[in-house]
Amino acid sequence: MKALIATLILTTTSAQAFCPQLNALFHSGKTMVLPPPFNHDAKCTTSLALSGETSTHCAWPFDYRAPEATQAFEAVMKAVPSCLLTVLEVEYDQDVNHPDFYDLRIFNAPQGQVGVSLKDKGGLQQTYVFLRVTPAS
């Protein structure tokens, strides 16, 4: 019983942590954890676009084409709109020039744009879930 209660508390805490961490990425945050049940820490970095925009990119690696990668992608896709109080705005990205799988979804919110993608990297034998956050100008 104690183990069940501890699991529920940890899962609730992790779920509550995702939205504040996502919102912090709009303000130079660097910490991100996948929503439950995954709870994996991300490696987050910033980049500067040619337009002068600064984006934060977080990545979660998984084994190549592991079902957990797709499940994590779907968990992030479910969590982001509830955190931002927005809906998915489908924007189609350019085709990639290699046979690996690539899926990108973009959310536009008053505080900025969030991209969530799932990418197979055959050469690395890994599948990644990426989160990109670009604050509004």
Side-chain angles (χ1 to χ4, degrees):
M1 182 66 162
K2 288 182 182 180
L4 177 60
I5 292 170
T7 301
L8 290 173
I9 291 170
L10 179 61
T11 301
T12 302
T13 303
S14 298
Q16 292 170 344
F18 184 84
C19 289
Q21 288 178 3
L22 176 61
N23 285 309
L25 292 179
F26 287 103
H27 307 286
S28 303
K30 299 281 185 253
T31 304
M32 199 69 211
V33 177
L34 280 173
F38 303 98
N39 304 318
H40 299 298
D41 291 336
K43 297 175 184 175
C44 299
T45 59
T46 57
S47 66
L48 185 62
L50 292 175
S51 63
E53 293 177 325
T54 300
S55 296
T56 301
H57 304 266
C58 301
W60 293 276
F62 291 87
D63 289 336
Y64 188 66
R65 297 194 175 162
E68 294 83 9
T70 301
Q71 293 164 359
F73 174 72
E74 291 169 355
V76 174
M77 290 291 300
K78 184 177 177 183
V80 169
S82 63
C83 294
L84 300 179
L85 303 176
T86 190
V87 295
L88 172 68
E89 293 189 20
V90 177
E91 292 186 21
Y92 294 97
D93 197 23
Q94 61 190 0
D95 290 334
V96 293
N97 60 357
H98 54 78
D100 290 347
F101 179 78
Y102 173 69
D103 189 359
L104 170 67
R105 311 291 173 87
I106 297 174
F107 298 88
N108 291 304
Q111 58 269 56
Q113 188 179 74
V114 175
V116 181
S117 59
L118 179 66
K119 297 181 184 181
D120 285 340
K121 302 286 190 173
L124 298 174
Q125 286 297 289
Q126 289 188 311
T127 296
Y128 282 86
V129 174
F130 288 103
L131 178 76
R132 177 187 42 83
V133 173
T134 306
S137 302

